[in-house]
Amino acid sequence: MGKITIEKERCKGCGLCVMYCPKKILALSDKETNGNGYFVLTVVDESGCIGCANCAVMCPDSVITVER
Amino acid sequence: MTVVYKKSGMLTDAPFHYCPGCTHGIAHKLVAEVLEEIGAEGNVVGVAPVGCAVFAYNYFNCDMQEASHGRAPAVATGIKRVRPDTVVFAYQGDGDLASIGMAEIVHAAARGEKITVIFINNAIYGMTGGQMAPTTLEGQKATTCIYGRNPEINGNPIRMCELISTLTGPTYVARAALCDPANVRKAKKMIKTAFEHQLNKKGFSFVELLSACPTNWGMTTEQAVDYVKNDMQSIYPLGVFKEE
Amino acid sequence: MKQLMKGNEAIAEAAVRGGCRAFFGYPITPQNEIPEYLSWRLYEVGGCFVQAESEVAAINMVYGAAGAGARAMTSSSSPGISLKQEGISYICCSRLPCVIVNMVRGGPGLGGIQPAQSDYFQATKGGGHGDYHMIVYGPNSVQECVDIMYDAFDVSEKYRVPVMILGDGMLGQIMEPVELPEFKDLSKLPRKAWATYGDNKGKDRQIINSLLIEPDVLERHNHLLFDTYKEIADNETMCEEYLCSDAEIVLTAYGTVARIAKSAVDILRSRGIKVGLLRPITLYPFPEKAFIKVAEQDCVKEFVCIELSMGQMIEDVKISTQMKKPVKFYGRVGGNVMTPEDIVKFVTEEDK
């Protein structure tokens, strides 16, 4: 059981986190943008998070905090 | 629940200026995390290069010096020689380190300066807009070799780890790829080992990180990490080249 | 007690006594005795010496060490100083105190290894890219080299502007008796608030940098540098006046040439010709006030600028005297050095 917190204003929507989520619970929003105009990361299924931190490890912008 | 991953305290709150999907940011995080883990806070000076990472002095939460193009190892030498008990690292890209700064990196390594150099190899000049780098692969397109790098015209890519590891001064030389979580975790271990070599005053330590540049490669994030994983690694094999 | 020392070695010892604890250099004639001496001497006083892979690397090592708060220096000669210019520009913009010795040899190109003053423009006008200056001294004896070197770090640190000592091959190689000063007590020096010692944390961290990408910020920085240069001009300008008060002809020269010119003044005076000598000791800031004062004396008919170049300092002489009197030029180049008699001949024949 894990939980991620996303600092959306730092997100650049690169998608590296989405690519490496083993549970495929992450997606880039097709609606929500941040102040810089990037489509930001969203969690599709919060209950599926296992707290592996792959997303945070791959995030170049330190957007994601992971709890387990 | 406990926090298992958060932004390192050795990074400032300044947002990185890097393009989306650029793995410079991952490299910065790893260096910052390692500096924190080895307890370097309050005893470290970093040296930023010229190139995409020119603003690195805004991101590392420690004393920083901005070097002229290619000279980061010379600047780091000057710092380390007058502050031998301070952790000193240089962070350089491929144009900075393997082209204009070739003399400085080779001689700092040969002298066995007790510094750690983090080398970001993304096979392109990013800051200036995608020109051919010394590490650009054969066939790889750049704005100064638009049909792809042709060795007859443009020469051949340089393998820095292989070159540096022939010298006596370095005690740790390794190459990792920032292309997936497993490899990023390996890269962090190598960076940590490199800094431990410095802490133990063993010798010069050098970690090359194969890095993605989706913007100047003209690729999506996914294509770019695939390029690192497949094309780059076939020319730049991963591993530890020297450990003493 | 005076001792006999070669110019280069005397500068090296004066540097150590003045607090130099880091030297980075690359071999080039005619300054090699400076790195050779410091290669062993600095380790006796807990300092460090690195023979760099190039002049480019050496000046960047100075950047690193000076940025980390140390008293660091380098030395070279003309072609080597050209290679250091990019680094010097960065050092000036980053406001790092340090000392650079240039034992000038004849140029352009690889030139020769004999004395010259042909790097005057390079030394005093900036030398590399961008608007900047160093504090430039042109000593005329081994003792003056020692005295200037001894205080060079203090001056450099006071203004955060590098000091260049502009000698020439003759000054570096000549042996003269010198009085060496006592060691400066480095423990009394204050901590440099701007330096990257490595122990600054969080909001106190320091950045040594010359990238100022915002136009307004860079403009402000340029003004800050030039405000500092004005302050230096007010406080640090040095000039020697010799028999100028009643002179009709004023010779002007710096460095070793000024000694030759002084001998010429004495010969000419013995023949009843009223000649004086105006010798800038700081070449930047140039002693403008001393020059205009002498130029405005009614007795002064003309200036003769004497240099080991094709005529470089003469431009500053003309500017400083505001062309109130004619300025003639006598120079030798290529490593050739004039004798006092050559100057006497020039002055007397030119005036026929």
Side-chain angles (χ1 to χ4, degrees):
Chain A
M1 177 70 186
K3 184 188 163 209
I4 68 167
T5 312
I6 304 163
E7 203 183 326
K8 292 192 174 175
E9 276 310 307
R10 296 177 74 96
C11 179
K12 293 174 184 157
C14 71
L16 277 167
C17 51
V18 179
M19 280 171 63
Y20 290 106
C21 174
K23 294 295 175 187
K24 304 292 171 202
I25 59 159
L26 300 176
L28 292 179
S29 170
D30 54 4
K31 294 187 202 75
E32 187 190 357
T33 58
N34 63 13
N36 292 319
Y38 292 116
F39 287 107
V40 294
L41 171 63
T42 52
V43 185
V44 178
D45 174 15
E46 281 182 10
S47 65
C49 180
I50 56 170
C52 71
N54 272 6
C55 55
V57 166
M58 288 307 291
C59 175
D61 293 288
S62 303
V63 171
I64 305 164
T65 302
V66 185
E67 289 166 276
R68 191 164 51 208
Chain B
M1 287 216 278
T2 54
V3 172
V4 292
Y5 198 101
K6 66 176 171 73
K7 184 168 90 66
S8 167
M10 284 302 287
L11 289 175
T12 65
D13 289 330
F16 294 159
H17 69 283
Y18 301 108
C19 305
C22 167
T23 46
H24 261 298
I26 300 180
H28 279 27
K29 285 197 316 183
L30 297 183
V31 172
E33 288 166 10
V34 167
L35 288 174
E36 201 171 349
E37 286 171 21
I38 64 170
E41 193 190 359
N43 189 33
V44 55
V45 183
V47 183
V50 169
C52 278
V54 69
F55 294 116
Y57 57 77
N58 283 332
Y59 307 140
F60 290 106
N61 201 5
C62 59
D63 281 344
M64 292 291 295
Q65 294 197 17
E66 163 53 35
S68 58
H69 198 18
R71 318 304 172 205
V75 172
T77 296
I79 301 167
K80 189 68 180 185
R81 290 291 182 122
V82 301
R83 314 258 336 146
D85 296 322
T86 299
V87 175
V88 179
F89 71 96
Y91 184 103
Q92 298 182 265
D94 43 48
D96 196 75
L97 182 141
S99 190
I100 196 167
M102 184 59 103
E104 283 73 16
I105 189 63
V106 168
H107 282 273
R111 284 192 303 268
E113 296 294 342
K114 315 278 185 298
I115 59 173
T116 301
V117 176
I118 307 299
F119 170 41
I120 307 300
N121 179 2
N122 59 10
I124 200 92
Y125 279 78
M127 176 67 87
T128 46
Q131 296 80 14
M132 186 186 73
T135 51
T136 294
L137 309 188
E138 186 178 339
Q140 184 187 340
K141 288 176 181 166
T143 61
T144 47
C145 54
I146 59 172
Y147 302 111
R149 184 176 194 162
N150 174 357
E152 282 299 314
I153 299 169
N154 311 114
N156 300 284
I158 298 174
R159 295 178 180 89
M160 285 309 300
C161 278
E162 287 82 342
L163 193 158
I164 296 282
S165 62
T166 64
L167 302 167
T168 307
T171 56
Y172 187 72
V173 180
R175 182 186 286 130
L178 304 178
C179 59
D180 57 44
N183 276 295
V184 169
R185 289 183 171 107
K186 268 186 211 160
K188 184 173 169 183
K189 270 191 193 137
M190 286 174 172
I191 293 168
K192 192 164 185 180
T193 307
F195 275 101
E196 282 165 354
H197 274 248
Q198 178 178 174
L199 288 177
N200 298 328
K201 299 190 189 297
K202 279 188 175 170
F204 179 86
S205 51
F206 183 87
V207 179
E208 175 175 343
L209 301 170
L210 302 184
S211 193
C213 179
T215 298
N216 285 297
W217 293 353
M219 294 182 188
T220 63
T221 306
E222 199 154 357
Q223 289 166 336
V225 290
D226 278 350
Y227 194 76
V228 172
K229 208 175 278 187
N230 302 315
D231 302 68
M232 284 190 84
Q233 284 186 36
S234 67
I235 303 296
Y236 302 112
L238 307 185
V240 176
F241 290 80
K242 189 173 183 191
E243 185 162 18
E244 281 176 354
Chain C
M1 191 192 73
K2 285 201 172 187
Q3 47 186 298
L4 195 63
M5 283 187 94
K6 203 174 197 178
N8 282 334
E9 292 182 346
I11 285 178
E13 180 61 28
V16 172
R17 291 176 185 231
C20 176
R21 290 297 178 270
F23 181 95
F24 308 96
Y26 185 85
I28 183 170
T29 307
Q31 60 80 54
N32 290 316
E33 293 83 358
I34 298 176
E36 283 169 356
Y37 188 93
L38 291 173
S39 68
W40 57 269
R41 185 71 173 104
L42 277 171
Y43 284 97
E44 290 185 344
V45 295
C48 70
F49 167 92
V50 178
Q51 180 168 324
E53 58 271 31
S54 68
E55 283 93 347
V56 176
I59 194 70
N60 284 287
M61 291 175 189
V62 170
Y63 178 100
R71 290 193 154 182
M73 71 179 282
T74 186
S75 67
S76 191
S77 180
S78 309
I81 296 289
S82 293
L83 279 168
K84 291 184 197 288
Q85 288 300 338
E86 185 205 27
I88 293 173
S89 173
Y90 281 60
I91 282 171
C92 287
C93 188
S94 304
R95 303 180 67 218
L96 297 179
C98 63
V99 178
I100 301 152
V101 177
N102 181 3
M103 287 300 173
V104 183
R105 53 190 258 184
L110 199 47
I113 58 167
Q114 303 295 329
Q117 296 182 319
S118 42
D119 292 358
Y120 178 90
F121 283 152
Q122 190 197 49
T124 61
K125 307 301 175 190
H129 61 285
D131 275 327
Y132 70 87
H133 291 282
M134 291 177 281
I135 304 165
V136 184
Y137 292 98
N140 74 339
S141 67
V142 177
Q143 185 66 57
E144 199 168 85
C145 284
V146 166
D147 297 343
I148 287 170
M149 180 68 241
Y150 183 64
D151 289 328
F153 283 105
D154 295 338
V155 176
S156 184
E157 287 175 1
K158 181 175 174 190
Y159 299 101
R160 295 185 61 189
V161 172
V163 163
M164 173 172 275
I165 297 177
L166 195 69
D168 60 51
M170 189 154 37
L171 207 52
Q173 298 301 320
I174 200 170
M175 288 188 84
E176 289 186 321
V178 285
E179 191 84 56
L180 290 168
E182 292 298 312
F183 276 77
K184 286 196 175 166
D185 183 358
L186 300 183
S187 66
K188 286 185 180 151
L189 294 177
R191 183 182 163 94
K192 293 164 182 159
W194 48 265
T196 58
Y197 293 102
D199 56 0
N200 299 302
K201 288 197 256 184
K203 64 177 172 36
D204 295 326
R205 74 193 191 93
Q206 297 299 318
I207 300 170
I208 303 296
N209 181 30
S210 68
L211 178 65
L212 303 156
I213 212 152
E214 293 290 334
D216 287 343
V217 174
L218 184 54
E219 187 173 52
R220 269 202 304 279
H221 192 70
N222 271 267
H223 282 289
L224 169 69
L225 294 180
F226 276 74
D227 289 347
T228 309
Y229 302 149
K230 175 149 191 326
E231 201 186 331
I232 293 167
D234 291 342
N235 299 337
E236 307 296 338
T237 306
M238 289 161 70
C239 187
E240 182 193 354
E241 229 184 280
Y242 180 65
L243 304 178
C244 284
S245 59
D246 65 340
E248 294 176 358
I249 302 168
V250 176
L251 307 186
T252 178
Y254 70 95
T256 47
V257 178
R259 291 170 69 162
I260 301 164
K262 202 175 214 176
S263 299
V265 169
D266 291 340
I267 296 169
L268 289 159
R269 283 268 172 183
S270 72
R271 294 184 194 170
I273 304 169
K274 287 183 175 171
V275 181
L277 171 71
L278 204 47
R279 173 174 80 93
I281 300 170
T282 50
L283 303 176
Y284 188 91
F286 195 77
E288 291 173 1
K289 283 178 188 157
F291 272 78
I292 188 65
K293 190 198 82 175
V294 171
E296 282 174 342
Q297 290 175 191
D298 290 337
C299 58
V300 173
K301 294 200 177 82
E302 65 179 33
F303 284 80
V304 179
C305 185
I306 307 163
E307 300 179 55
L308 295 180
S309 79
M310 294 302 288
Q312 299 194 10
M313 185 177 78
I314 188 173
E315 294 190 3
D316 284 333
V317 174
K318 286 180 176 175
I319 292 167
S320 299
T321 57
Q322 298 168 25
M323 297 293 284
K324 287 186 188 293
K325 303 289 161 64
V327 183
K328 292 177 178 167
F329 180 74
Y330 176 66
R332 292 297 303 275
V333 291
N336 287 311
V337 181
M338 67 284 286
T339 63
E341 290 72 24
D342 291 334
I343 297 172
V344 168
K345 196 172 162 216
F346 179 85
V347 170
T348 51
E349 288 185 1
E350 281 282 312
D351 275 1
K352 264 179 198 162

